[in-house]
């Protein structure tokens, strides 16, 4: 689509149609940061959802540099240009936690998916609350209702889940692998994945929590 813009002015106007950039899905092929930045100018207050696929394959323990990572500058651009963004799906993306903070996300987000994504350069002492990538997330994403964290077991901790569930008042659903936790105390399981799940659950007053 970006190539069409340089072919003919009429095609450029067509590609610039705001209705085409309301629900933006970049597909399942991994895209580097430079390529994503080319599309920033098409995004705006009209953009409601964005889906991006990154370069994580397998366990995600290999940590790339540069253009294969989602940068804070990219997230800040979304925050500045998309004040009405409701959903952001970062599938299988590398995120350097030392330089890219989730606080840079648009405050309007209601759903955040990090399914299969790999956060690296996290603090070595993950027991400390302030070391969680979700620390004070409620201040930056006050409308957040749903978080998807499937395939994030390489970096996700119980502390992270406790922070999400305990400090985000608008949060209703947290999906972790086959488990789907809700504020009403209901948990739905994908029976096909149940045998693979090593965690067990207990009910609390407001949430079902991982142990």
């Amino acid at each position: 689509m970006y190539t069409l813009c340089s072919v003919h002015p009429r095609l450029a106007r067509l590609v610039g149609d705001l209705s085409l950039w309301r629900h933006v899905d970049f597909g399942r092929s991994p895209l580097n940061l430079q390529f994503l930045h080319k599309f920033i100018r098409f995004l705006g207050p009209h953009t409601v959802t964005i889906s991006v696929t990154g370069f994580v394959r397998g366990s995600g323990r290999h940590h790339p540099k540069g253009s294969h990572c989602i940068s804070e500058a990219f997230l800040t651009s979304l925050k500045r240009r998309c004040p009405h963004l409701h959903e952001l799906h970062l599938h299988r993306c590398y995120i350097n936690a030392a330089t890219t903070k989730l606080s840079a996300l648009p405050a309007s987000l209601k759903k955040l998916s990090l399914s299969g994504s790999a956060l690296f350069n996290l603090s070595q002492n993950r027991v400390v609350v302030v070391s969680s990538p979700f620390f004070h997330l409620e201040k930056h994403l006050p409308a957040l209702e749903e978080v998807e964290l499937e395939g994030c077991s390489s970096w996700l901790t119980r502390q992270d889940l406790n922070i999400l569930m305990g400090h985000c008042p608008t949060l209703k659903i947290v999906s972790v692998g086959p488990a789907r936790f809700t504020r009403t105390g209901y948990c739905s399981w994908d029976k096909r994945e149940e045998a693979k799940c090593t965690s067990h659950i207990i009910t609390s007053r407001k949430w079902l929590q991982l142990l």
Side-chain angles (χ1 to χ4, degrees), residues 6 8 17 19-20 26-27 66 78 106 128 134 146-147 181 189 191:
S6 59
H8 193 279
D17 185 340
S19 64
L20 297 177
F26 288 103
L78 297 184
V128 181
F134 303 116
E146 183 175 355
V147 177
F181 303 94
W189 291 84
K191 295 299 182 181

Side-chain angles (χ1 to χ4, degrees), residues 22-196:
R22 181 173 172 80
H23 300 283
V24 182
D25 188 344
F26 288 103
R28 297 184 178 182
S29 298
L31 301 175
N32 63 42
L33 202 55
Q34 287 88 342
F35 189 81
L36 289 174
H37 273 294
K38 293 179 180 180
F39 291 93
I40 289 292
R41 65 190 180 98
F42 296 109
L43 307 178
H46 50 278
T47 306
V48 179
T49 66
I50 297 175
S51 296
V52 176
T53 299
F55 291 84
V56 174
R57 294 294 180 267
S59 65
R61 295 186 182 278
H62 170 67
H63 302 156
K65 296 181 180 180
S67 64
H68 284 191
C69 299
I70 294 295
S71 70
E72 185 161 308
F74 175 72
L75 298 183
T76 301
S77 295
L78 297 184
K79 185 175 186 176
R80 183 178 66 254
R81 297 187 63 89
C82 307
H84 305 304
L85 189 68
H86 288 170
E87 295 187 15
L88 178 61
H89 301 262
L90 299 176
H91 296 305
R92 308 188 70 83
C93 292
Y94 283 108
I95 301 174
N96 186 344
T99 59
T100 304
K101 307 300 182 183
L102 298 182
S103 58
L105 291 166
S108 57
L109 278 187
K110 293 184 178 181
K111 180 176 181 178
L112 172 64
S113 175
L114 297 174
S115 295
S117 290
L119 270 69
F120 62 98
N121 283 339
L122 289 160
S123 171
Q124 294 297 317
N125 187 3
R126 298 300 309 284
V127 178
V128 181
V129 173
V130 295
S131 67
S132 172
F134 303 116
F135 181 65
H136 280 172
L137 190 65
E138 72 281 2
K139 294 184 178 181
H140 305 286
L141 302 182
L144 190 64
E145 297 179 356
E146 183 175 355
V147 177
E148 292 184 351
L149 296 167
E150 299 178 19
C152 297
S153 59
S154 63
W155 58 269
L156 186 67
T157 68
R158 182 173 61 180
Q159 179 81 295
D160 295 330
L161 292 175
N162 287 338
I163 289 174
L164 274 175
M165 295 174 176
H167 294 84
C168 296
T170 59
L171 194 62
K172 299 176 182 178
I173 299 173
V174 178
S175 299
V176 186
R180 186 168 180 263
F181 303 94
T182 73
R183 191 171 289 279
T184 58
Y186 171 76
C187 178
S188 64
W189 291 84
D190 183 339
K191 295 299 182 181
R192 295 169 298 178
E193 298 292 331
E194 188 170 8
K196 301 178 183 178

